[in-house]
Amino acid sequence: MAAQTPTEALKKLSVNDAPGAAEKAGSNGAPSGANAEHDEDSDDDADEVAAQGGAGGESGAAKKKKKKKKSKSKKKKPTAQSDPPRVLVSQLFPNNTYPHGEEVEYLDENRFRTTNEEKRHLDNINNDKTADFRHAAEVHRQVRQWAQKNIKPGQTLTEIAEGIEDGVRALTGHSGLEEGDALKAGMGFPTGLSINHCAAHYTPNAGNKMVLQQGDVMKVDFGVHVNGSIVDSAFTMAFEPQFDNLLAAVKDATNAGVREAGIDVRVGEVGAAIQEVMESYEVEINGTTYPVKSIRNLNGHTILPYSIHGTKSVPIVKSNDMTKMEEGDVFAVETFGSTGNGYVHDDMETSHYARVGDAPNVALRLSSAKQLLNVINKNFGTLPFCRRYLDRLGQEKYLLGLNNLVSNGIVEAYPPLCDKKGSYTAQYEHTILLRPTVKEVISRGDDY
Ligand SMILES: [Co+2]
């Protein structure tokens, strides 16, 4: 989910002129560290054989099989993901053996961390949290790879969003329908499906009839959380080759940001690295060549428990923000490229909301607002939600109450963020853990 640069901070930005059509930075063959083979059949085949080989002599081996057959009355556990994805990821990876993200060793003055005893101890203390992030990341990978295969022009945005959300809820084992269930695990924030000039925070509200078109560029940005540990990761889909360079620019820029990030690194330097890569690209669309610009008022961000936007930002243009990345920080590194102004504004109907963490204690006079706040507290806490999530909980006619919570500063509205009409924008995003011993790109997959 995108963080928007506050206007105050934006004034301080020293934005470079686009460095022209500089030579392309070498494409960085991003390693695909994650994704262990999780779909290979394993020892359960033995059960299968046992089940079939009913009659026959009872050799020692057969006896053993027979013994296994007894436990067969329990339902056979699947060992591969289904299509659509419905198999619990905790069942595919029992005992918290979730695949690691891409682990990148620290360099230079931080090289000692790889083997340092104290840092390893600190790292071990966080094992449970790290497992929650890996669990959420594996759900994200499995659902998004299914989405990448199945999303096609002609589908409605509603069916695309629901397909992703049904997958995430099934794979975490939390439908989110019973009170408090969505707080245990599930969607970390709503499925953003932002098209063309819209860069972020668009998801259909009830009754939306929008259909994905062949010529569209769609950002798919969704979050998965387990016990409040949110993995925030996004990719872009296009169906025409003329957009390849736009997508390549943004993927490359995000990987540059991921590479640059580390303990003691200043976020402004990360922004400079991102912008340099991003703006070394150009893209030809319908016969016109455009420079790819970093969208200067969007940025990455830290992630805190149950809170998608922490206190630190990662600019995607050069800036003199001297804030340091620190040990233990979790960052969403996300970049946005545009053929338009490289600047977004609020546009269209709002769908995304989140309760403010340190909300003012206002005496609400509107009973519908009070009632709705209770629903939000019990089901989402400070996790972002969208109007569809209220609909599926059976809430009706809540808009007045919702707007009242927004105007009282208790809930924040996140309207869609769009560049100028006719432009195209793309996004890629990864979540990284700055563990004491190693940087873990938790959401890395063999797709991006
Ligand atoms: Co984000």
Side-chain angles (χ1 to χ4, degrees):
M1 199 172 152
Q4 210 180 347
T5 315
T7 332
E8 206 42 40
L10 204 61
K11 281 185 204 143
K12 284 188 258 170
L13 283 182
S14 64
V15 182
N16 266 3
D17 285 342
E23 64 279 28
K24 233 179 210 185
S27 103
N28 62 328
S32 56
N35 260 25
E37 298 79 49
H38 43 255
D39 46 8
E40 60 184 32
D41 267 27
S42 60
D43 28 35
D44 270 39
D45 289 311
D47 287 62
E48 206 117 9
V49 175
Q52 290 159 358
E58 299 254 303
S59 71
K63 264 183 203 160
K64 209 176 165 192
K65 278 177 190 169
K66 200 177 172 189
K67 205 175 169 191
K68 265 197 164 178
K69 196 177 165 183
K70 271 186 200 160
S71 66
K72 185 75 183 156
S73 53
K74 279 188 250 157
K75 213 172 148 226
K76 185 173 180 261
K77 282 190 178 170
T79 54
Q81 191 47 267
S82 60
D83 181 357
R86 294 293 180 267
V87 180
L88 279 174
V89 162
S90 61
Q91 203 164 300
L92 298 175
F93 299 96
N95 311 314
N96 273 345
T97 56
Y98 302 106
H100 294 204
E102 177 199 7
E103 293 176 318
V104 186
E105 286 188 6
Y106 293 120
L107 300 174
D108 307 324
E109 62 271 27
N110 276 308
R111 201 177 283 277
F112 76 98
R113 292 173 170 275
T114 311
T115 51
N116 182 270
E117 267 312 312
E118 190 199 332
K119 296 302 175 194
R120 287 164 71 134
H121 175 67
L122 284 171
D123 194 47
N124 283 333
I125 291 173
N126 294 324
N127 273 345
D128 289 353
K129 272 266 152 270
T130 306
D132 285 346
F133 275 110
R134 288 180 185 146
H135 183 177
E138 183 59 22
V139 172
H140 197 286
R141 274 189 293 273
Q142 293 197 12
V143 172
R144 81 189 187 218
Q145 289 177 4
W146 172 82
Q148 287 159 5
K149 260 191 281 166
N150 288 280
I151 292 175
K152 297 269 158 30
Q155 295 172 341
T156 64
L157 297 197
T158 302
E159 71 186 292
I160 295 169
E162 287 178 349
I164 289 170
E165 291 161 3
D166 289 348
V168 168
R169 291 180 179 125
L171 267 53
T172 55
H174 293 275
S175 71
L177 290 173
E178 308 83 49
E179 197 172 277
D181 193 46
L183 285 171
K184 292 175 182 161
M187 294 303 296
F189 57 82
T191 307
L193 299 174
S194 307
I195 290 183
N196 300 340
H197 68 292
C198 283
H201 302 171
Y202 190 90
T203 202
N205 288 331
N208 185 307
K209 298 276 191 292
M210 259 173 87
V211 172
L212 180 64
Q213 304 295 318
Q214 172 73 25
D216 282 348
V217 176
M218 180 169 71
K219 281 66 64 184
V220 181
D221 186 356
F222 67 98
V224 179
H225 90 92
V226 172
N227 296 318
S229 294
I230 311 170
V231 168
D232 180 357
S233 181
F235 57 95
T236 299
M237 292 184 81
F239 309 94
E240 293 190 344
Q242 63 172 348
F243 298 115
D244 287 356
N245 254 9
L246 175 62
L247 272 56
V250 184
K251 193 190 263 195
D252 201 0
T254 294
N255 278 323
V258 166
R259 207 181 316 116
E260 198 72 15
I263 293 170
D264 301 330
V265 174
R266 298 189 190 281
V267 295
E269 291 165 20
V270 179
I274 288 168
Q275 184 178 26
E276 187 174 322
V277 171
M278 182 81 79
E279 301 191 350
S280 68
Y281 282 82
E282 49 188 30
V283 56
E284 189 185 323
I285 299 169
N286 302 330
T288 306
T289 300
Y290 301 88
V292 179
K293 294 179 191 166
S294 271
I295 298 182
R296 63 186 184 275
N297 60 335
L298 290 177
N299 43 250
H301 49 94
T302 42
I303 297 173
L304 298 171
Y306 289 104
S307 175
I308 188 61
H309 292 151
T311 51
K312 298 182 193 175
S313 300
V314 188
I316 62 174
V317 290
K318 189 180 167 183
S319 114
N320 36 30
D321 189 336
M322 303 290 270
T323 309
K324 275 185 175 174
M325 295 182 158
E326 292 168 286
E327 178 180 291
D329 280 349
V330 178
F331 275 98
V333 177
E334 60 186 313
T335 79
F336 292 83
S338 175
T339 63
N341 296 326
Y343 191 91
V344 290
H345 55 271
D346 297 355
D347 199 2
M348 302 192 293
E349 189 174 79
T350 299
S351 55
H352 289 45
Y353 300 85
R355 208 200 73 203
V356 176
D358 46 1
N361 199 354
V362 184
L364 291 165
R365 280 178 299 156
L366 202 63
S367 70
S368 63
K370 262 187 246 176
Q371 186 267 344
L372 186 65
L373 181 57
N374 191 37
V375 170
I376 293 168
N377 282 336
K378 287 192 167 134
N379 291 284
F380 311 115
T382 52
L383 290 172
F385 59 93
C386 62
R387 293 192 200 175
R388 286 184 293 104
Y389 296 2
L390 295 173
D391 300 336
R392 73 191 285 278
L393 290 175
Q395 295 297 304
E396 289 174 331
K397 303 194 182 106
Y398 50 74
L399 261 190
L400 183 72
L402 186 54
N403 289 333
N404 187 258
L405 293 174
V406 172
S407 54
N408 276 300
I410 296 167
V411 165
E412 186 173 354
Y414 294 88
L417 298 169
C418 307
D419 202 326
K420 71 170 176 191
K421 276 221 174 72
S423 67
Y424 291 93
T425 64
Q427 173 199 21
Y428 280 89
E429 175 172 25
H430 276 300
T431 294
I432 65 173
L433 311 186
L434 297 182
R435 289 169 46 199
T437 52
V438 75
K439 170 168 72 181
E440 184 165 350
V441 188
I442 207 89
S443 52
R444 181 72 79 196
D446 45 24
D447 49 351
Y448 66 87

